[in-house]
Amino acid sequence: MHFEDLDLSDDILDAIYAMHFDECTPIQEQAIPIVLQGRDLIAIAQTGTGKTAAYLLPVIDLLADLPAPDAGVNCIVMAPTRELAQQIEQQMDGFSYYLPISSLAIYGGTDGATFARQQRAMREGADVVIATPGRLQALLQMGGINLGKVKYFILDEADRMLDMGFYDDIMRIAAQLPTERQTLLFSATMPPRIRKLAKDILSDPVEIKIAPSRPVEKIAQSAIMCGDAQKDGVLLRLLKERHGSKVIVFASSKLGVRDLTRSLRRSGIKAAEIHSDLGQKERDDTIHDFRAERLDVLVATDLLARGIDIDDISMVVNYDVPREPEDYVHRVGRTGRANAEGTAVTLVSPRDKRAFSRVESTLKIKIPLEDAVPGADAGRSDRSATKDRRRQKKQDAPKGARPGTPNASSAPETTDKETAEKETDKGNSGKKHGNRRYKHRRPSSGKDKADSPKDRTDGTPAS
């Protein structure tokens, strides 16, 4: 189906076409008409299928018929992380380019002055507030913010928000909203907790499912069986022989991400790390450099697995097999976006086999195995050699010897525990766009419709 076949305004269609998009994804084709009808919605779809556009496009269309907000908010979009909130705001800017609709993003990791500015902006009013639950709840506790005019309440990546412990914050925020509102819930999975949340905050919702919990078919998935000490060498060979311009490597812990990034840099790879210990500016700068192809590889925790829309990811490598099958889907979904092709390779050591089997069993797929990359041992890094030396010392130590004795290893090998990162939002940030709306089109001498929306956003309808 084409976007022009939907009941969207000409202003929105102009913005979509200026961004060089024409056909809807399945989630957009099914969700947009339901939202335009005013129905509550539960939408279950895998990552990379265009969920953001599936709710933003119809809601922008509906907001165009509402009066400009005065000391209030017309729509709230909840997102689990600051990165996803930023991405949604970028897409909001692009899709609403020809309509004077204001938006405001609120998320953690900023200073007190920014917090105060965003508090003032919310009190003045905005069409759309895009926020992480913890930071919005903190602002509401300060008082003076009116949510009594909210017409649309949207939860994006709802399963991720519950995994991060935001259920109570979401319920407290929902309690301050009008009963008469339209609520949309988008999620990649539908565990019992999501079902309970939907029952609590939605009214007679329509439910649609688009191939939940499976990577898209255009992603070529494979796995390589190798020892822990071989992983660095296999990864280096993969990066040198198979990668295009952009690769994301996922590790299960922040310590593992740091160590692996240093190892890749020593091997001449332009790599950078992404995890929750970095400040917001560092993370923004790193992602910007990656988009601009000043970096070849991002090494990341699962913080980057959801909601980050970066175009043209040529390959995703699971250096560690994720603990949860859903995390595998989200990691792999960073490539093969917007109907493009992609490659996903998982390195499976003996200690990863159980988690890998759980991924295959849960997703009901068989991931093809390929031979270890030829010459992988020759490319082993200093980090792998250090692991070998530690392991050899431990094996050579006499039975019963204590660490620290002449014949025992003083530095026994340890294995990083797999950890699930939780984004704790601190501070807020955002911006406000647009003036009071008007009912006539902008003069042709204004902004160039062919380029402006694309310049204003990194997002796409299929993000």
Side-chain angles (χ1 to χ4, degrees):
M1 177 180 285
H2 296 271
F3 284 106
E4 65 184 16
D5 297 326
L6 299 171
D7 190 19
L8 296 171
S9 71
D10 290 341
D11 291 308
I12 294 176
L13 292 175
D14 287 343
I16 293 172
Y17 296 150
M19 295 162 67
H20 308 294
F21 287 92
D22 182 40
E23 294 187 5
C24 306
T25 66
I27 186 65
Q28 293 161 4
E29 180 179 341
Q30 294 192 39
I32 290 175
I34 294 171
V35 177
L36 290 174
Q37 292 169 15
R39 297 288 303 276
D40 283 9
L41 174 66
I42 300 173
I44 310 299
Q46 63 204 44
T47 186
T49 55
K51 287 183 289 185
T52 306
Y55 63 76
L56 278 185
L57 292 174
V59 166
I60 290 170
D61 197 292
L62 294 168
L63 286 172
D65 296 327
L66 295 179
D70 182 16
V73 176
N74 285 335
C75 173
I76 292 178
V77 179
M78 305 295 298
T81 66
R82 66 191 77 173
E83 283 82 6
L84 181 54
Q86 289 172 323
Q87 177 186 310
I88 295 170
E89 186 187 29
Q90 289 170 353
Q91 295 193 28
M92 179 76 197
D93 290 347
F95 296 146
S96 64
Y97 190 78
Y98 298 116
L99 291 166
I101 294 178
S102 59
S103 63
L104 173 67
I106 295 171
Y107 45 81
T110 59
D111 56 23
T114 302
F115 184 96
R117 285 197 297 271
Q118 301 315 311
Q119 185 180 31
R120 288 195 298 271
M122 278 204 69
R123 287 174 176 172
E124 292 172 3
D127 280 296
V128 180
V129 169
I130 304 155
T132 50
R135 193 47 45 204
L136 180 56
Q137 177 64 16
L139 280 170
L140 294 175
Q141 289 175 348
M142 301 293 291
I145 295 174
N146 178 18
L147 299 185
K149 300 179 181 179
V150 171
K151 301 292 190 301
Y152 309 101
F153 184 43
I154 303 166
L155 302 178
D156 197 359
E157 299 284 3
D159 52 350
R160 174 70 167 165
M161 283 193 281
L162 297 195
D163 288 343
M164 295 171 66
F166 286 131
Y167 181 87
D168 290 339
D169 285 332
I170 292 172
M171 294 307 297
R172 281 191 287 265
I173 292 166
Q176 300 188 45
L177 304 179
T179 304
E180 296 296 324
R181 66 173 190 270
Q182 187 175 2
T183 304
L184 313 176
L185 187 152
F186 286 76
S187 180
T189 60
M190 194 66 175
R193 290 181 301 168
I194 293 294
R195 186 71 65 182
K196 181 180 184 304
L197 177 65
K199 182 179 179 180
D200 290 339
I201 66 173
L202 275 73
S203 175
D204 189 25
V206 177
E207 184 172 330
I208 58 177
K209 294 182 179 180
I210 306 293
S213 298
R214 289 191 182 183
V216 296
E217 293 181 359
K218 289 192 175 183
I219 300 174
Q221 303 174 67
S222 64
I224 297 175
M225 297 294 179
C226 58
D228 284 324
Q230 294 176 306
K231 281 189 174 183
D232 286 14
V234 172
L235 175 61
L236 284 173
R237 188 56 62 99
L238 284 171
L239 294 177
K240 291 177 181 179
E241 292 186 353
R242 301 189 191 179
H243 85 284
S245 58
K246 299 172 186 173
V247 177
I248 298 179
V249 179
F250 285 103
S252 292
S253 71
K254 291 177 279 188
L255 178 60
V257 166
R258 295 189 192 101
D259 289 346
L260 186 54
T261 303
R262 286 194 292 266
S263 176
L264 292 176
R265 286 173 175 170
R266 285 196 296 267
S267 300
I269 304 292
K270 292 187 291 184
E273 61 192 80
I274 289 285
H275 49 77
S276 63
D277 281 354
L278 298 180
Q280 182 61 42
K281 186 178 186 306
E282 293 176 284
R283 286 151 64 174
D284 289 345
D285 290 345
T286 297
I287 291 175
H288 182 270
D289 288 343
F290 187 62
R291 282 195 172 109
E293 299 187 9
R294 289 188 284 270
L295 295 169
D296 291 329
V297 179
L298 278 186
V299 186
T301 59
D302 285 318
L303 172 67
L304 202 67
R306 294 205 191 193
I308 305 301
D309 184 23
I310 302 175
D311 294 333
D312 304 325
I313 301 297
S314 61
M315 181 168 66
V316 166
V317 179
N318 290 310
Y319 185 86
D320 297 315
V321 179
R323 178 180 297 176
E324 298 297 334
E326 290 82 2
D327 291 331
Y328 176 86
V329 175
H330 293 300
R331 289 182 180 186
V332 170
R334 295 307 96 203
T335 187
R337 299 178 70 81
N339 294 319
E341 295 182 353
T343 300
V345 182
T346 301
L347 308 186
V348 184
S349 69
R351 68 186 178 92
D352 293 323
K353 286 185 177 179
R354 181 176 296 178
F356 183 70
S357 296
R358 189 161 57 247
V359 168
E360 291 186 312
S361 175
T362 302
L363 304 185
K364 295 180 174 58
I365 59 175
K366 188 66 177 177
I367 300 172
L369 297 179
E370 58 179 281
D371 294 334
V373 181
D377 288 342
R380 290 165 66 189
S381 66
D382 294 338
R383 192 160 72 100
S384 294
T386 299
K387 287 182 178 180
D388 283 348
R389 287 194 295 270
R390 289 176 177 174
R391 186 177 289 105
Q392 189 62 44
K393 287 180 181 180
K394 187 174 182 180
Q395 292 172 352
D396 292 343
K399 187 175 182 180
R402 293 175 301 173
T405 62
N407 292 319
S409 171
S410 59
E413 182 187 13
T414 59
T415 302
D416 295 337
K417 293 182 178 180
E418 294 177 335
T419 57
E421 289 197 306
K422 291 190 176 181
E423 260 316 271
T424 303
D425 300 302
K426 296 180 180 180
N428 68 0
S429 177
K431 57 185 176 181
K432 188 176 180 182
H433 304 287
N435 301 311
R436 296 183 67 86
R437 61 176 41 78
Y438 48 84
K439 292 300 181 181
H440 61 276
R441 303 175 68 83
R442 295 188 179 186
S444 59
S445 61
K447 300 179 181 178
D448 184 358
K449 288 189 177 185
D451 299 321
S452 299
K454 186 176 180 181
D455 294 339
R456 288 284 299 277
T457 177
D458 293 326
T460 71
S463 63

